[in-house]
Amino acid sequence: MNKVIIFVFFLLYASACSKQIAVHSGNYNFKSPNGLPQYSSLDYWAAHPWKWDPSDSIPTALKKQGKQDTIADAFFIHPTTLVDKDYESWNATIDDSVVNIKTDFSPILYQASVFNQKCRVFAPRYRQAHIKSFYTRDTAAAAAAIDTAYQDIKNAFIHYLSNWNKNRPIIIAAHSQGTVHAAKLLKEFFEGKDLQNQLVCAYIIGMPIPTNYYNRLPACKDSLATGCVVSWRTFKTGYTDTSFVSKEKFTAIVTNPLSWRMDTTFIAADKNTGGVLQKFNKLKPGVVNAQIHGNVLWTSKPKFFGNIFLKTKNYHIGDINLFYNNIMQNVNTRLNMFLIR
């Protein structure tokens, strides 16, 4: 875990040099009167179309694609940014400025921005569960922390639906802890319900989604499918995990983001149209190849200056970054298919 955290901060601090990162118009000094999020206020949204935030950032190379056309909404649930081992609470306080800044200039910048070319991006702040919730033996405390976080996500989504959606197409997107909540949100609000008709795609990445988790929300079979789910977890080719993946007793949804298929065909790095890693402005084509192996996605070691220092074989932090432009292109493809169906 320490190696992953070091890599997170490497990306975070590198981002500060990017001239194309959106100037943040948000407020980090707000205080919740009762400790609960107030989703009628923009302070409680890490990303929102009514303010300028890091999700509005566009890498320089992609600015040439032309004017944004936000004809759909992306509801993005960010991953865990509460990793301080000295943090006593099981959940982040909603107005913790340190956690909120880390959230905005790491996953909101590097992940939520993938969806900004075709979507208005909504990303709620929430009382996220501490990282220890996913490793502790105190399962009762962990479950309570995760449930608290989900209740915030649920309330944010209800507020979004009631006030801003107006029957627009929806993309659900998430990473890591966010995917835990997104998977549940899809089951509660979309599967077998009218809202499923508005679902373009669910990009729920970084946590395993069993193939039988949904009865009426299928996994996406190719790049054109809509109303479906894509998911993957990224490891270095040849790495066999012994702590959690190898113990899984189910088959997970695994999508290859270079082919958008679920077969085990090896897809060469020349199909990777660009990752965003150390510097947000720099799009790195061919950064990794990809091949599905069991319940995970195997890739080559990412190609970028300084990768000699990247020793971890678990590329969880790069699940989205490594395929940044491929995801952006696929959002456009699926949305076009959704609109003509």
Side-chain angles (χ1 to χ4, degrees), residues 7 10-12 14-15 110 274-284 287-288 302-305 307 310 317-324:
F7 192 42
F10 179 65
L11 293 179
L12 179 62
S15 74
Y110 282 97
V276 172
L277 296 174
Q278 301 164 349
K279 295 182 180 180
F280 183 79
N281 274 339
K282 187 174 182 179
L283 195 69
K284 180 68 174 177
V287 65
V288 292
K303 296 178 181 178
F304 64 92
F305 180 76
N307 71 345
L310 180 62
I317 191 63
D319 282 327
I320 293 177
N321 308 51
L322 292 171
F323 309 101
Y324 190 98

Side-chain angles (χ1 to χ4, degrees), residues 257-287:
L258 299 186
S259 67
W260 299 103
R261 302 188 69 87
M262 298 178 65
D263 58 50
T264 59
T265 302
F266 173 82
I267 307 298
D270 61 6
K271 299 299 183 183
N272 188 317
T273 57
V276 172
L277 296 174
Q278 301 164 349
K279 295 182 180 180
F280 183 79
N281 274 339
K282 187 174 182 179
L283 195 69
K284 180 68 174 177
V287 65

Side-chain angles (χ1 to χ4, degrees), residues 10 21 50 59 61 129 153 179 188 194 240 245 250 266 302 332 338:
F10 179 65
I21 295 173
W50 299 174
I153 295 299
T179 286
E188 184 170 355
D194 290 344
T240 303
V245 176
F250 56 86
F266 173 82
N332 184 50
F338 179 88

Side-chain angles (χ1 to χ4, degrees), residues 1-284:
M1 176 55 62
N2 287 337
K3 291 179 180 177
V4 173
I5 293 172
I6 289 170
F7 192 42
V8 171
F9 280 106
F10 179 65
L11 293 179
L12 179 62
Y13 285 121
S15 74
C17 299
S18 175
K19 295 180 180 179
Q20 298 302 323
I21 295 173
V23 176
H24 201 296
S25 63
N27 171 27
Y28 292 118
N29 297 316
F30 68 93
K31 293 297 178 183
S32 170
N34 58 4
L36 301 175
Q38 313 292 325
Y39 290 116
S40 58
S41 169
L42 297 188
D43 290 338
Y44 297 87
W45 293 86
H48 196 287
W50 299 174
K51 69 177 181 180
W52 197 247
D53 58 71
S55 76
D56 296 308
S57 304
I58 303 171
T60 300
L62 298 181
K63 282 182 170 288
K64 301 174 184 178
Q65 292 184 357
K67 184 179 179 181
Q68 293 170 273
D69 184 13
T70 51
I71 55 180
D73 290 344
F75 189 86
F76 179 83
I77 308 172
H78 70 75
T80 308
T81 53
L82 180 59
V83 297
D84 184 351
K85 65 181 180 180
D86 296 323
Y87 206 93
E88 295 183 359
S89 175
W90 282 87
N91 292 88
T93 54
I94 196 65
D95 50 15
D96 187 316
S97 60
V98 174
V99 173
N100 290 340
I101 290 170
K102 186 186 296 185
T103 297
D104 291 4
F105 288 96
S106 190
I108 299 302
L109 172 63
Y110 282 97
Q111 297 178 341
S113 64
V114 170
F115 303 94
N116 69 24
Q117 288 295 295
K118 293 296 180 182
C119 300
R120 304 185 307 180
V121 180
F122 296 82
R125 303 196 188 284
Y126 64 101
R127 290 171 295 167
Q128 61 179 281
H130 194 286
I131 189 67
K132 64 185 177 183
S133 302
F134 298 93
Y135 301 101
T136 184
R137 294 181 180 179
D138 190 346
T139 56
I146 292 169
D147 183 65
T148 293
Y150 176 71
Q151 292 306 314
D152 284 356
I153 295 299
K154 177 178 177 178
N155 290 335
F157 189 69
I158 290 172
H159 188 85
Y160 154 76
L161 284 178
S162 299
N163 293 276
W164 299 310
N165 175 254
K166 311 299 183 184
N167 296 316
R168 290 163 60 89
I170 301 173
I171 287 173
I172 298 295
H175 183 244
S176 198
Q177 178 176 166
T179 286
V180 173
H181 306 313
K184 188 173 181 179
L185 191 79
L186 286 161
K187 185 175 281 289
E188 184 170 355
F189 287 87
F190 288 84
E191 186 177 32
K193 300 177 175 64
D194 290 344
L195 203 58
Q196 186 170 343
N197 295 323
Q198 291 177 236
L199 182 66
V200 178
C201 183
Y203 295 84
I204 51 177
I205 300 162
M207 286 290 194
I209 307 297
T211 54
N212 63 355
Y213 184 75
Y214 300 110
N215 295 318
R216 300 177 65 180
L217 272 179
C220 299
K221 300 301 183 183
D222 57 32
S223 64
L224 305 178
T226 62
C228 53
V229 175
V230 300
S231 185
W232 64 84
R233 292 172 291 170
T234 315
F235 292 83
K236 185 179 180 181
T237 297
Y239 179 62
T240 303
D241 169 79
T242 58
S243 60
F244 56 97
V245 176
S246 62
K247 297 177 181 179
E248 294 171 356
K249 304 300 183 183
F250 56 86
T251 301
I253 296 172
V254 188
T255 312
N256 188 325
L258 299 186
S259 67
W260 299 103
R261 302 188 69 87
M262 298 178 65
D263 58 50
T264 59
T265 302
F266 173 82
I267 307 298
D270 61 6
K271 299 299 183 183
N272 188 317
T273 57
V276 172
L277 296 174
Q278 301 164 349
K279 295 182 180 180
F280 183 79
N281 274 339
K282 187 174 182 179
L283 195 69
K284 180 68 174 177

